[in-house]
Amino acid sequence: MLIRDATIAEMTQVAQVRITAYQAGQHLSADSPYEQRLRELGADGIGDVLVAVDQGGEITGTVMLLPWPHAGHVVIGPDEAEIRALAVLPEAQGSGLGKALLKAVIERARVRLVRHLVLLTQADMVAAQHMYARAGFARLADRDWSPTPGNLLLAYGMPLTHQPVAAPPPAG
């Protein structure tokens, strides 16, 4: 498995992976307006879209890092970024791919010097919530958000540390 940046040409396939995974997990109804948002995320070139590619070259999972000010309601300042649309095809679930994508997007956030990484998840995405907690995310109940009445999204966050770059030794 290879995790890399998606190309613009792959964004239609990325969208289909997202929709397939969300529908398979019963997290996206057939008439949900969120389907269109899943199609659009990253297609405008804003943010980092990562994909997991199997040995045959097929995209089997994806995740996105969306920086401030382009991120959603959960991001409140320029030192924050949001994880969006973590999705793994049903046949690849349980293989550790979601965990690998999460690790890759956390590392990308560190490279981008993000100080606080946040995300929103649906209340019924219990497996994802356990994965986030194991990775070091904590609940941020004060940032929970309802895009529509009766649809509460749960907020999670994780502070990131950055290793200072050591100065080179003085020339001799």
Side-chain angles (χ1 to χ4, degrees):
M1 166 195 45
L2 170 69
I3 296 177
R4 61 167 173 76
D5 288 296
T7 66
I8 292 295
E10 293 172 320
M11 291 312 297
T12 299
Q13 188 178 1
V14 166
Q16 195 54 53
V17 167
R18 292 171 178 162
I19 291 164
T20 299
Y22 276 59
Q23 286 177 339
Q26 298 180 346
H27 306 297
L28 183 70
S29 63
D31 61 346
S32 172
Y34 191 59
E35 180 177 328
Q36 185 59 34
R37 186 67 181 134
L38 287 173
R39 291 185 187 285
E40 295 168 349
L41 280 169
D44 57 5
I46 296 173
D48 296 328
V49 178
L50 302 178
V51 292
V53 181
D54 68 14
Q55 292 180 346
E58 294 298 315
I59 296 173
T60 56
T62 183
V63 66
M64 182 173 186
L65 180 67
L66 198 55
W68 181 88
H70 307 287
H73 298 278
V74 72
V75 171
I76 59 173
D79 62 340
E80 294 189 342
E82 181 181 15
I83 294 175
R84 296 291 305 260
L86 175 61
V88 175
L89 288 177
E91 58 270 21
Q93 291 177 6
S95 68
L97 184 54
K99 182 179 176 181
L101 282 163
L102 183 60
K103 182 178 178 182
V105 78
I106 291 168
E107 184 54 35
R108 179 62 57 94
R110 281 193 174 102
V111 167
R112 298 274 188 251
L113 301 179
V114 171
R115 296 270 180 223
H116 194 232
L117 195 53
V118 294
L119 61 89
L120 291 169
T121 186
Q122 294 176 25
D124 63 345
M125 293 181 166
V126 177
Q129 292 164 28
H130 289 301
M131 180 178 64
Y132 299 140
R134 284 191 304 272
F137 285 82
R139 278 283 285 124
L140 301 174
D142 60 319
R143 295 200 199 185
D144 289 353
W145 181 63
S146 290
T148 57
N151 182 16
L152 180 66
L153 299 177
L154 308 178
Y156 285 78
M158 181 173 72
L160 297 179
T161 57
H162 303 283
Q163 299 298 327
V165 177

